[in-house]
């Protein structure tokens, strides 16, 4: 049965009180693409954001479209927030994906390529080269590429080869001399991932970039001697990367092996997308569509003037020739609550006061230094932490290994189900386990997403617990690109809460309550709804009421309807949601008092902050959790209360600055679209990604979200 995506389905979508999670995500990637169109950015920044949209879309197809096919293939029922069932929703989703794909490639050919030429960089094929340059390319092919290529024929004698996810592939249709056309054969030539995307030739003061597929296309006949080549088609496939672990009674015993098995299955997962160059062999494509049970709406056509797979643009962005062309990051500044000069003993500082860190404006080195110092300090007895994603050359792993070597008790929960970091986390966890650390490979049916660190130190006759709680990963690479919140404290209440939570994670404990910690999956959704309902009650009583929340994603319907009810009660609600937002702001009779902004710019907004006015007795939390079903029901998450007046003001100021931004901000409309905010009248530009490097402490202390 075929479904057209016309006015009928559009009207159903707009009538729904909720915005589709997947359609909302596509709108987010549109905002990322918009960064590549900003006039104030140079060509290398524009290339970076275009590459990010491509890697974003790859993951979207692997996970979200892959998940949709899990329903379609196994005839499971699902109604999307849009109100559409599986097939109509797929038709709508593919239509929007096709539109986005067209926008990407139109921007690349019409804007990016001409601007690159003005910078002295040209993408070209071999016909545009001199004889000497062509010979250079030929020798490169013969020596570096030809030995790595393996033509794989598919016919009645050979099985269909496994084509790898996200690799460029040539499909070559051939016949033997004298054979009928219906005896044609199909062969595949995969381009290995470890070959650079472009072959570079310097000519005078310019740089010529020859895509690797053009180099191979020019010489591919050398792989098919004495046969007739009927067609050569360049394409790329995306496979389903969404997997869930099968629950069973003996799951705990085989947990790690089950994860490894699923990772192997990901390599042969169901094909969900084909990107193919124009001029393709129709016979070949029809064969692929039939084999992979796909329709033409899953085929994305790429013009020869463009290129398949914009993630290859990272080679240009990261090239040594242009390394200075990307904006240099501002030097990190000292946290407002930790202005001491010199290298004062961080342990002594934390005994006196809490320190709030706001990355990347504040350096992550203070956390890394704390762990490294603890590893060497003879008075430190134990280090416990949760790890979700690590940097490639992680200082964290090295410090924990050193701590174990020095005889300290080290407990680490490595979340081996962290998507696309599974293999790295298993490898790093085994290193620690071999060194004598107590390692947990995650918890069977939950992802441990909370970010916690506990250091136990004995000084004279006293034992002090040093705690770090955060919104971001213990990853020194992403900490320079993501905005995140971290709290360093020796507060006994939080230390008790964190100790109890570690007992839940590493043992079999169910504490009756936490004092300053809200955790999932136990009570986070209910606690947040209770706070929302308190604001609604205050508003109905004529008291000041306000809700200010900053998250990556808002998708949980119970939270959304609680916010709708609060809006109808007169509560001022301002939400800063970077990505997915399934709530409709500004709908008459439903959400007139809700405003939604999205900040997309130089840094990836990753911090989560929850602020409730509570008639002046404010409640302010930060932590690892978004407002999503998975965060509340399928993950170990935590939000920590910030009570120190200066630190709470800092969090309120972060919210205030985000709301003021008129450079990186987009305002969500009732229909689910977004409009960019711009300075109005004589209003100066306010770029939140610059302003945090120049904080005025007095302004922070005086900040108010509700007058």
């Amino acid at each position: 049965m075929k479904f057209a995506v016309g006015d009928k389905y559009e009207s159903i979508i707009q009538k729904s009180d909720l915005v589709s999670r997947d359609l909302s995500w596509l709108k987010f990637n549109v905002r990322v693409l918009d960064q590549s169109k900003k006039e104030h950015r140079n060509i290398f920044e524009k290339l970076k954001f275009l590459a990010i949209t491509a890697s974003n879309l790859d993951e979207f197809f692997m996970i979200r479209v892959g998940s949709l096919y899990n329903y379609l293939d196994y005839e499971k029922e699902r109604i999307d927030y849009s109100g559409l069932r599986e097939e109509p929703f797929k038709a709508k989703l593919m239509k929007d994906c096709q539109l986005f794909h067209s926008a990407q490639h139109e921007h690349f050919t019409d804007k990016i390529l001409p601007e690159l030429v003005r910078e002295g960089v040209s993408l070209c094929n071999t016909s545009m080269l001199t004889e000497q340059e062509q010979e250079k390319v030929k020798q490169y092919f013969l020596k570096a590429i030809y030995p790595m290529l393996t033509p794989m024929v598919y016919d009645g004698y050979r099985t269909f080869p496994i084509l790898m996810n996200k690799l460029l592939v040539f499909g070559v249709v051939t016949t033997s001399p004298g054979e009928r056309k219906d005896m044609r054969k199909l062969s595949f030539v995969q381009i290995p991932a470890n070959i650079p995307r472009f072959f570079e030739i310097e000519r005078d003061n310019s740089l010529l970039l020859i895509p690797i597929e053009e180099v191979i296309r020019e010489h591919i006949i050398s792989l098919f001697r004495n046969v007739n080549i009927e067609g050569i088609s360049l394409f790329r496939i995306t496979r389903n990367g969404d997997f869930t672990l099968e629950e069973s009674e003996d799951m705990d015993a085989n947990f790690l092996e089950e994860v490894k098995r699923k990772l192997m299955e990901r390599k042969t997962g169901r094909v969900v997308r084909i990107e193919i160059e124009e001029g393709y062999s129709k016979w070949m494509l029809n064969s692929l569509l039939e084999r992979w049970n796909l329709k033409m709406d899953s085929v994305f056509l790429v013009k020869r003037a463009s290129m398949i797979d914009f993630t290859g643009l990272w080679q240009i962005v990261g090239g040594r020739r242009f390394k200075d062309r990307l904006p240099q990051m501002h030097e990190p500044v000292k946290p407002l609550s930790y202005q001491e000069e010199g290298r004062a003993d961080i342990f002594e500082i934390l005994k006196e006061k809490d320190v709030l860190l706001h990355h990347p404006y504040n350096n992550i080195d203070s956390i890394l230094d704390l762990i490294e110092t603890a590893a060497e300090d003879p008075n430190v007895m134990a280090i416990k932490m949760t790890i979700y994603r690590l940097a490639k050359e992680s200082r964290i792993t090295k410090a924990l290994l050193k701590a174990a070597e020095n005889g300290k008790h080290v407990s680490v929960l490595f979340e081996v189900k962290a998507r696309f970091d599974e293999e790295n986390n298993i490898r790093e966890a085994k290193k620690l386990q071999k060194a004598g650390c107590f390692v947990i490979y995650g918890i069977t049916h939950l992802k441990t997403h909370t970010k916690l660190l506990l250091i136990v130190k004995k000084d004279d006759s006293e034992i002090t617990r040093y705690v770090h709680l955060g919104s971001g990963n213990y990853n020194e690479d992403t900490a320079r690109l993501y905005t995140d919140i971290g709290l360093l404290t020796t507060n006994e209440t939080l230390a008790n809460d964190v100790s109890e939570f570690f007992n839940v994670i590493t043992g079999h404990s169910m504490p009756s309550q936490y004092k300053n910690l809200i955790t999932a999956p136990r009570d986070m959704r209910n606690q947040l709804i209770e706070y929302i309902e308190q604001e609604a009650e205050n508003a109905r009583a004529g008291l000041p009421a306000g809700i200010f929340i900053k998250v990556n994603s808002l998708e949980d319907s119970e939270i959304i309807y609680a916010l709708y009810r609060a809006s109808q009660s007169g509560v001022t609600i301002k939400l800063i949601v970077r990505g997915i937002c399934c709530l409709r702001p500004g709908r008459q009779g439903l959400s007139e008092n809700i405003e939604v902004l999205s900040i997309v710019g130089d840094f990836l907004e990753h911090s989560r902050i929850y602020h409730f006015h509570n008639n002046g007795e404010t409640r302010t939390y930060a932590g690892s959790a978004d407002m999503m079903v998975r965060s509340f029901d399928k993950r170990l998450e935590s939000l920590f209360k910030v009570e120190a007046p200066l630190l709470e003001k800092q969090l309120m100021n972060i919210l205030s600055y985000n709301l003021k931004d008129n450079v990186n901000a987009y305002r969500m409309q009732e229909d689910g679209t977004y409009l960019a905010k711009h300075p109005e009248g004589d209003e100066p530009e306010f770029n939140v990604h610059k302003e945090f490097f120049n904080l005025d402490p007095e302004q922070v202390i005086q900040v108010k979200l509700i007058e």
Side-chain angles (χ1 to χ4, degrees):
M1 184 176 181
K2 293 184 178 179
F3 292 88
V5 184
D7 294 339
K8 174 184 175 183
Y9 294 124
E10 293 292 348
S11 64
I12 292 173
I13 290 169
Q14 291 305 319
K15 285 179 182 177
S16 174
D17 288 342
L18 302 174
V19 177
S20 163
R21 169 180 174 171
D22 295 328
L23 299 181
S24 178
W25 183 90
L26 280 173
K27 292 290 192 297
F28 161 67
N29 218 24
V30 169
R31 299 194 292 281
V32 179
L33 181 61
D34 189 50
Q35 298 301 307
S36 184
K37 300 176 181 179
K38 298 285 188 182
E39 290 300 322
H40 70 270
R41 299 194 184 282
N42 68 35
I43 183 60
F44 302 101
E45 293 177 273
K46 294 176 181 179
L47 287 171
K48 178 188 77 171
F49 280 104
L50 182 57
I52 290 172
T53 68
S55 57
N56 284 350
L57 198 61
D58 283 348
E59 184 172 333
F60 178 76
F61 269 89
M62 289 177 66
I63 303 306
R64 296 304 305 167
V65 179
S67 174
L68 178 58
Y69 270 106
N70 289 340
Y71 284 87
L72 292 167
D73 290 344
Y74 297 101
E75 298 182 349
K76 296 190 292 184
E77 294 185 352
R78 189 191 92 160
I79 299 179
D80 185 75
Y81 275 0
S82 63
L84 299 180
R85 294 295 298 268
E86 306 84 24
E87 283 286 359
F89 179 70
K90 174 180 171 288
K92 167 62 178 172
L93 184 63
M94 289 301 102
K95 176 188 174 184
D96 283 11
C97 287
Q98 291 281 0
L99 291 172
F100 179 77
H101 173 268
S102 297
Q104 277 182 308
H105 288 268
E106 181 180 336
H107 174 58
F108 180 70
T109 55
D110 294 355
K111 301 295 183 181
I112 294 293
L113 288 180
E115 195 168 340
L116 269 175
V117 170
R118 292 194 291 272
E119 288 285 342
V121 180
S122 299
L123 268 66
C124 58
N125 57 40
T126 54
S127 65
M128 301 167 66
L129 305 178
T130 66
E131 288 187 14
Q132 184 179 5
E133 290 166 343
Q134 287 180 349
E135 181 61 26
K136 191 175 181 180
V137 171
K138 181 180 179 181
Q139 291 305 312
Y140 175 67
F141 173 81
L142 292 173
K143 293 178 181 178
I145 300 176
Y146 180 78
M148 298 180 66
L149 301 180
T150 303
M152 300 173 288
V153 66
Y154 167 60
D155 57 20
Y157 301 98
R158 301 169 181 85
T159 59
F160 195 89
I162 295 175
L163 302 181
M164 301 304 291
N165 187 39
K166 300 191 297 183
L167 290 187
L168 293 175
V169 183
F170 278 107
V172 183
V173 181
T174 59
T175 57
S176 298
E179 279 188 336
R180 302 189 312 273
K181 209 169 187 180
D182 60 359
M183 298 295 289
R184 55 168 72 97
K185 294 182 180 179
L186 177 58
S187 299
F188 300 100
V189 179
Q190 291 191 129
I191 302 179
N194 56 355
I195 296 178
R197 188 67 173 78
F198 302 102
F199 181 67
E200 301 180 2
I201 293 178
E202 294 194 19
R203 180 192 289 176
D204 300 325
N205 293 321
S206 64
L207 180 67
L208 305 181
L209 300 174
I210 301 92
I212 196 63
E213 61 268 28
E214 297 303 326
V215 175
I216 295 173
R217 194 196 312 269
E218 179 73 15
H219 301 284
I220 200 168
I221 193 171
S222 62
L223 298 170
F224 297 91
R225 300 186 186 279
N226 302 315
V227 294
N228 300 320
I229 296 180
E230 184 180 301
I232 300 173
S233 308
L234 181 69
F235 67 97
R236 178 179 184 259
I237 63 171
T238 312
R239 293 186 178 273
N240 182 357
D242 181 54
F243 69 76
T244 54
L245 298 176
E246 301 296 331
E247 297 187 14
S248 62
E249 290 182 3
D250 62 345
M251 182 64 185
D252 289 338
N254 301 312
F255 176 58
L256 203 56
E257 291 306 313
E258 177 69 8
V259 172
K260 291 178 181 178
R261 186 176 70 81
K262 288 294 185 179
L263 290 175
M264 291 301 296
E265 288 180 4
R266 181 182 279 168
K267 296 179 180 179
T268 58
R270 190 222 206 280
V271 176
V272 297
R273 175 179 61 162
I274 302 173
E275 299 164 272
I276 193 165
E277 199 175 63
E278 65 181 356
Y280 58 84
S281 162
K282 292 182 179 179
W283 176 79
M284 182 204 76
L285 181 59
N286 288 335
S287 299
L288 297 181
L289 291 174
E290 182 179 359
R291 179 168 192 85
W292 292 326
N293 189 25
L294 290 174
K295 299 176 182 177
M296 279 300 295
D297 62 0
S298 297
V299 177
F300 292 77
L301 186 63
V302 178
K303 294 181 179 180
R304 285 292 298 271
S306 188
M307 62 180 277
I308 296 178
D309 185 15
F310 290 137
T311 64
L313 297 173
W314 284 113
Q315 182 180 333
I316 305 173
V317 177
R320 287 179 295 177
R321 182 186 181 109
F322 307 115
K323 66 179 181 180
D324 296 330
R325 296 300 305 277
L326 287 175
Q328 298 302 301
M329 184 173 167
H330 194 292
E331 281 295 314
V333 296
K334 289 182 179 294
L336 288 185
S337 51
Y338 180 27
Q339 294 288 316
E340 285 74 5
E341 294 294 334
R343 293 184 59 84
D345 186 335
I346 184 64
F347 289 122
E348 293 302 315
I349 294 292
L350 294 178
K351 279 185 178 181
E352 298 174 8
K353 60 183 176 181
D354 295 347
V355 174
L356 187 78
L357 300 169
H358 187 197
H359 310 298
Y361 313 104
N362 305 145
N363 205 322
I364 193 177
D365 283 355
S366 52
I367 301 171
L368 302 175
D369 290 345
L370 177 66
I371 299 172
E372 288 170 344
T373 301
E376 299 282 5
D377 192 320
N379 292 321
V380 167
M381 300 184 294
I383 302 174
K384 299 182 180 184
M385 71 184 305
T386 60
I387 293 177
Y388 195 73
R389 300 188 196 277
L390 285 174
K392 287 183 179 178
E393 297 295 328
S394 174
R395 286 170 59 183
I396 299 285
T397 303
K398 292 174 184 175
L400 295 175
L401 287 170
K402 176 61 69 174
E405 181 183 310
N406 289 337
K408 304 180 191 311
H409 171 79
V410 179
S411 297
V412 182
L413 187 145
F414 258 101
E415 182 46 78
V416 296
K417 300 187 295 296
R419 188 172 288 145
F420 304 126
D421 277 291
E422 299 97 340
E423 290 173 295
N424 182 61
N425 282 3
I426 290 172
R427 184 169 54 250
E428 294 298 294
K430 284 186 173 180
K431 285 183 191 176
L432 295 176
Q433 196 170 33
K434 287 179 181 178
C437 302
F438 176 56
V439 175
I440 302 171
Y441 293 93
I443 294 174
T444 311
H445 307 307
L446 298 169
K447 275 189 181 179
T448 303
H449 191 250
T450 186
K451 326 297 184 185
L452 301 175
L453 166 67
L454 175 66
I455 296 171
V456 182
K457 186 172 184 279
K458 182 178 181 180
D459 292 313
D460 299 325
S461 59
E462 135 180 284
I463 291 181
T464 306
R465 288 173 293 181
Y466 299 83
V467 174
H468 174 265
L469 310 97
S471 65
N473 299 307
Y474 293 106
N475 184 320
E476 52 265 44
D477 292 340
T478 58
R480 293 174 174 84
L481 303 171
Y482 294 11
T483 72
D484 270 306
I485 298 298
L487 175 66
L488 288 167
T489 182
T490 55
N491 178 282
E492 276 295 298
T493 302
L494 271 173
N496 285 332
D497 283 350
V498 171
S499 294
E500 289 279 14
F501 200 31
F502 270 113
N503 291 339
V504 171
I505 293 171
T506 62
H508 189 240
S509 174
M510 293 294 291
S512 56
Q513 65 177 12
Y514 300 101
K515 291 187 177 179
N516 280 351
L517 211 59
I518 305 175
T519 65
R522 197 177 78 164
D523 57 5
M524 188 175 289
R525 179 191 284 112
N526 290 339
Q527 188 68 71
L528 291 175
I529 289 175
E530 182 180 317
Y531 290 164
I532 293 169
E533 290 176 343
Q534 181 62 60
E535 295 301 318
E537 185 178 323
N538 288 347
R540 288 192 295 270
L543 301 172
I547 298 171
F548 300 82
I549 297 175
K550 180 181 183 299
V551 288
N552 295 335
S553 303
L554 168 54
E555 172 251 0
D556 184 81
S557 61
E558 291 185 49
I559 289 285
I560 291 172
Y561 278 104
L563 290 169
Y564 285 160
R565 292 191 297 271
S567 171
Q568 292 160 26
S569 297
V571 180
T572 298
I573 302 173
K574 296 185 184 293
L575 308 174
I576 303 148
V577 186
R578 185 196 79 222
I580 298 162
C581 183
C582 299
L583 175 150
R584 288 190 188 276
R587 174 163 284 190
Q588 188 173 356
L590 183 73
S591 54
E592 293 102 324
N593 292 314
I594 303 178
E595 178 184 4
V596 177
L597 294 181
S598 172
I599 306 291
V600 181
D602 290 335
F603 300 137
L604 185 138
E605 291 293 332
H606 196 249
S607 55
R608 291 90 164 185
I609 303 171
Y610 296 77
H611 177 80
F612 303 91
H613 185 264
N614 195 32
N615 193 28
E617 299 295 324
T618 54
R619 298 181 174 117
T620 306
Y621 288 82
S624 59
D626 290 311
M627 293 189 287
M628 302 187 74
V629 172
R630 72 184 188 190
S631 298
F632 297 146
D633 297 336
K634 300 176 182 178
R635 290 184 168 188
L636 283 171
E637 297 273 21
S638 64
L639 297 174
F640 53 92
K641 189 174 185 180
V642 175
E643 293 185 304
L646 174 60
L647 274 54
E648 185 182 29
K649 285 289 189 180
Q650 284 183 254
L651 293 181
M652 292 169 65
N653 190 65
I654 291 171
L655 295 169
S656 174
Y657 270 31
N658 275 260
L659 294 170
K660 287 180 185 177
D661 188 288
N662 55 23
V663 174
N664 309 292
Y666 298 79
R667 182 174 282 111
M668 186 179 181
Q669 308 300 297
E670 186 266 347
D671 64 358
T673 60
Y674 288 76
L675 294 178
K677 276 181 68 178
H678 298 290
E680 297 179 1
D682 296 331
E683 180 185 30
E685 285 191 350
F686 192 92
N687 185 340
V688 73
H689 291 155
K690 292 182 179 179
E691 294 295 333
F692 281 118
F693 287 110
N694 303 293
L695 277 181
D696 179 352
E698 287 302 316
Q699 185 178 353
V700 172
I701 293 170
Q702 295 172 17
V703 67
K704 290 183 180 179
L705 294 173
I706 293 285
E707 294 296 332

